[in-house]
Amino acid sequence: MSVTVEKLEKSMAKLKIEVSAEQLEKAIQKAYEKNKNKIQLPGFRKGKAPRKMIEQMYGKGVFYEDAANELIETEYPKAVEECGEDVVSSPKIDVEQLEAGKDFIFTAEVALKPPVKLGKYKGVEVEKMDIDVTDADVDAEIDKQRNTNARTVEVTDRAVQKDDIVTLDFEGFVDGVAFQGGKGTDYPLTIGSGSFIPGFEDQLIGFEIGKEGDVNVTFPKDYQAEELAGKDATFKCTIKAIKAKELPELNDEFASDVSDFDTLAEYKEDVKNKLVEKKTGEEKAKREDAVVRAVVEDSEMELPEAMVETQSRQIVNDFAQRLQMQGMNMDQYLQYTGNTVDKMLEQVKPQAIERIKSRLVLEAVAAKEKIEVTEEDFEKELEKMATQYRMELDKLKELMSDAEKKMMKSDLAVQKAADFLVENVKESAKKATKKAAAKKDDAAKEEKPAKKTAAKKTTATKTTKTAKTTEAKEAKEEKPKKTTTRKKKTEEA
């Protein structure tokens, strides 16, 4: 196998990969061996027809596609490694020559890691972040635990209230005609859960058991069932039962039931300590976001579109894996939400761009500062992983490929670069931009003595996590509406 590289515009390149005729012949023979049991020719038992007879019957190139796919799958990674280029996208493959007895030639158009011109990255000024856990924060956290341990009780002497769990019969009508999928019997619904169309649950508040009433809603314009999208509908609803949550009393007994402490005071102190720890981690991540974002904004880079597309697809694929862990596949998600893979790819594109820029900047800082990952750093990270997955360290090392180990070291270097930036920040009080400051000065000049204008507070926009801390944003659409027909989508990420 040989490979040549042609550099294109905007950090793109075309790899021309040539595989020997001998390797192609082996791949064709392998394709024949793989498929011969599926082919039956007159005069031969199934799976016993010679390759030449099959090629005469179905054409000389009957096994070419399988052979080409086999060679592309095995030879492309070797070509990337041999050429020494930093490829950052999936390849766009084009077969140039495929014929028995000749070299197999194909090209792969790929994105290369673009150059980064770093701006200021030392002494970046970020807003000072204070960690403050109030009694209200502690009470709110304890209330969550009380809700978790609440019991439900039957209610018969009042109307529906927010947070009630009702048993509901309903039927939906558009222009006076019942529509398919709009009917439900003995449906359990928590008021305020957001399970139904916006406005539906709020209108049930005040309904009494056994009395029918109307709920009027408008389906969203982008609703998954196109025949209902944007339409006004009326639901005939009857509440058959009401249940309410009964929270446990807040006392020492409750504290001992939900924690390792005997008194409510001790439990509250533990909750506060855990909130401080949690908030410390969150503030650290926010500080890291802020400084990385500032460095990104002051740096210059041009991202190849293929790199962005590959990262977007990776985010969607990661989301699909998380769905599987929750017992749902991507087809089901698309069906329930009315979304498509193409829409999801477009939705996550801004996140993909920010993630790429953060990574590129941190890699550039690591290179500039000669940040290295020692074997000790690597071993510590492996030990953490082994503990997390409950595996023996040696077994984990055996299972990891060289590419995975290389990527882990790269991730560690990126995190070290992020830590370096945070260590070198300059904290300030709430920071205003020059533009905002100028506006403030202009406003002060125009202000009349008898009238004072309240100064507007500025809020920092939320930044993307660094490559180490970023969580792929889940592409969100409206939750499934149990009251309508669902249209099945078949796209896959």
Side-chain angles (χ1 to χ4, degrees):
M1 185 269 293
S2 64
V3 57
T4 55
V5 180
E6 177 189 357
K7 296 289 181 71
L8 307 175
E9 295 180 343
K10 296 182 179 179
S11 299
M12 296 295 291
K14 182 179 284 188
L15 313 184
K16 186 174 182 180
I17 302 156
E18 298 187 30
V19 182
S20 70
E22 289 77 16
Q23 283 179 273
L24 175 58
E25 174 57 32
K26 288 179 182 178
I28 294 173
Q29 183 63 25
K30 187 175 179 180
Y32 160 69
E33 297 291 344
K34 177 183 175 183
N35 292 287
K36 66 180 182 179
N37 290 329
K38 304 173 187 175
I39 300 171
Q40 187 169 9
L41 294 184
F44 295 93
R45 283 181 297 162
K46 193 171 185 179
K48 298 298 181 180
R51 175 180 150 189
K52 286 187 178 180
M53 294 293 293
I54 296 174
E55 289 175 339
Q56 286 176 8
M57 176 68 72
Y58 293 101
K60 193 175 180 181
V62 63
F63 300 117
Y64 281 5
E65 184 176 348
D66 282 355
N69 289 337
E70 167 78 17
L71 289 173
I72 290 168
E73 186 176 338
T74 58
E75 300 304 311
Y76 169 72
K78 295 177 185 176
V80 171
E81 189 173 349
E82 184 177 313
C83 75
E85 298 291 345
D86 202 342
V87 175
V88 292
S89 75
S90 300
K92 182 181 177 183
I93 301 293
D94 184 33
V95 175
E96 290 193 349
Q97 181 171 287
L98 175 55
E99 185 179 343
K102 295 183 180 180
D103 290 349
F104 172 51
I105 303 173
F106 68 99
T107 61
E109 190 171 316
V110 295
L112 304 180
K113 186 164 80 171
V116 176
K117 183 179 178 182
L118 278 174
K120 179 182 178 182
Y121 66 91
K122 288 182 182 178
V124 175
E125 193 171 321
V126 296
E127 181 184 323
K128 187 175 181 179
M129 299 178 183
D130 296 320
I131 298 169
D132 183 26
V133 174
T134 65
D135 290 341
D137 295 331
V138 174
D139 291 342
E141 192 67 22
I142 291 175
D143 281 343
K144 289 180 186 177
Q145 192 63 251
R146 292 177 71 199
N147 271 284
T148 301
N149 289 270
R151 67 188 185 95
T152 56
V153 294
E154 196 84 23
V155 176
T156 58
D157 58 351
R158 65 167 173 79
V160 175
Q161 296 178 359
K162 191 175 185 299
D163 298 325
D164 281 346
I165 303 165
V166 302
T167 302
L168 173 71
D169 285 355
F170 60 85
E171 186 171 13
F173 299 84
V174 172
D175 296 329
V177 179
F179 56 86
Q180 187 178 2
K183 187 174 183 178
T185 304
D186 293 332
Y187 190 90
L189 175 66
T190 300
I191 305 301
S193 65
S195 301
F196 278 19
I197 301 166
F200 185 100
E201 294 168 29
D202 290 342
Q203 291 181 57
L204 291 177
I205 295 174
F207 273 45
E208 296 180 353
I209 295 173
K211 293 184 180 179
E212 186 182 271
D214 290 349
V215 170
N216 298 303
V217 295
T218 301
F219 284 97
K221 291 182 180 179
D222 59 350
Y223 195 66
Q224 60 262 29
E226 293 178 5
E227 67 276 12
L228 297 174
K231 296 284 183 69
D232 293 330
T234 296
F235 285 86
K236 301 288 184 183
C237 299
T238 303
I239 302 295
K240 300 175 76 174
I242 303 172
K243 289 183 179 180
K245 282 186 176 182
E246 190 175 83
L247 300 181
E249 192 175 344
L250 192 58
N251 53 25
D252 291 344
E253 183 180 352
F254 168 74
S256 63
D257 286 342
V258 300
S259 73
D260 296 327
F261 301 96
D262 295 326
T263 67
L264 181 60
E266 290 174 310
Y267 173 52
K268 282 190 173 184
E269 186 64 26
D270 181 64
V271 169
K272 183 172 184 177
N273 291 337
K274 286 178 179 175
L275 284 175
V276 169
E277 184 179 345
K278 179 184 176 184
K279 199 163 185 179
T280 299
E282 291 173 348
E283 293 305 313
K284 181 184 176 184
K286 286 179 183 178
R287 178 196 292 255
E288 190 174 289
D289 284 348
V291 66
V292 172
R293 182 168 177 263
V295 177
V296 167
E297 288 178 351
D298 202 38
S299 300
E300 296 177 17
M301 68 200 86
E302 186 176 11
L303 306 184
E305 188 61 31
M307 185 182 189
V308 176
E309 289 174 1
T310 297
Q311 183 66 64
S312 298
R313 191 161 292 278
Q314 183 61 54
I315 293 172
V316 172
N317 287 342
D318 289 345
F319 175 66
Q321 288 180 2
R322 289 196 297 278
L323 283 178
Q324 285 186 330
M325 292 173 66
Q326 297 167 13
M328 180 185 290
N329 61 40
M330 182 60 96
D331 282 345
Q332 291 171 321
Y333 173 79
L334 296 175
Q335 176 188 349
Y336 293 157
T337 62
N339 210 344
T340 67
V341 172
D342 287 341
K343 283 182 182 178
M344 291 178 71
L345 289 171
E346 192 61 32
Q347 288 161 3
V348 303
K349 189 174 180 179
Q351 182 191 352
I353 291 171
E354 290 187 16
R355 182 181 288 190
I356 292 169
K357 286 184 174 182
S358 295
R359 177 88 186 196
L360 289 174
V361 158
L362 290 171
E363 287 177 347
V365 170
K368 185 93 171 178
E369 292 297 322
K370 296 182 172 56
I371 293 172
E372 295 182 353
V373 175
T374 65
E375 280 304 313
E376 184 181 357
D377 295 329
F378 183 58
E379 286 292 321
K380 283 182 180 178
E381 191 66 19
L382 285 175
E383 287 171 6
K384 287 181 187 176
M385 285 184 65
T387 301
Q388 181 182 352
Y389 294 113
R390 298 179 182 178
M391 294 176 62
E392 292 182 5
L393 182 58
D394 291 339
K395 184 66 176 178
L396 177 62
K397 289 180 179 178
E398 286 177 18
L399 292 174
M400 290 184 69
S401 66
D402 290 340
E404 287 172 330
K405 290 176 182 177
K406 184 179 179 181
M407 178 56 69
M408 182 183 288
K409 288 181 179 180
S410 177
D411 288 344
L412 287 171
V414 163
Q415 186 56 54
K416 277 192 166 188
D419 293 340
F420 172 84
L421 294 181
V422 172
E423 288 166 6
N424 284 274
V425 299
K426 287 183 180 178
E427 283 191 333
S428 67
K430 210 158 204 182
K431 181 177 147 183
T433 62
K434 290 181 180 179
K435 188 175 181 181
K439 284 184 178 180
K440 189 175 179 182
D441 289 342
D442 291 342
K445 290 176 184 177
E446 295 175 6
E447 189 179 0
K448 295 180 181 179
K451 230 178 186 179
K452 290 188 178 180
T453 306
K456 291 184 180 179
K457 293 183 178 180
T458 59
T459 56
T461 56
K462 187 176 181 183
T463 62
T464 307
K465 302 286 184 191
T466 63
K468 182 73 177 178
T469 59
T470 300
E471 290 284 338
K473 283 182 188 174
E474 296 178 2
K476 292 183 179 177
E477 284 283 318
E478 191 175 2
K479 290 185 178 180
K481 308 302 182 297
K482 307 285 173 62
T483 59
T484 63
T485 305
R486 292 160 182 163
K487 295 182 71 178
K488 187 172 182 181
K489 305 291 180 182
T490 57
E491 296 98 325
E492 291 189 11

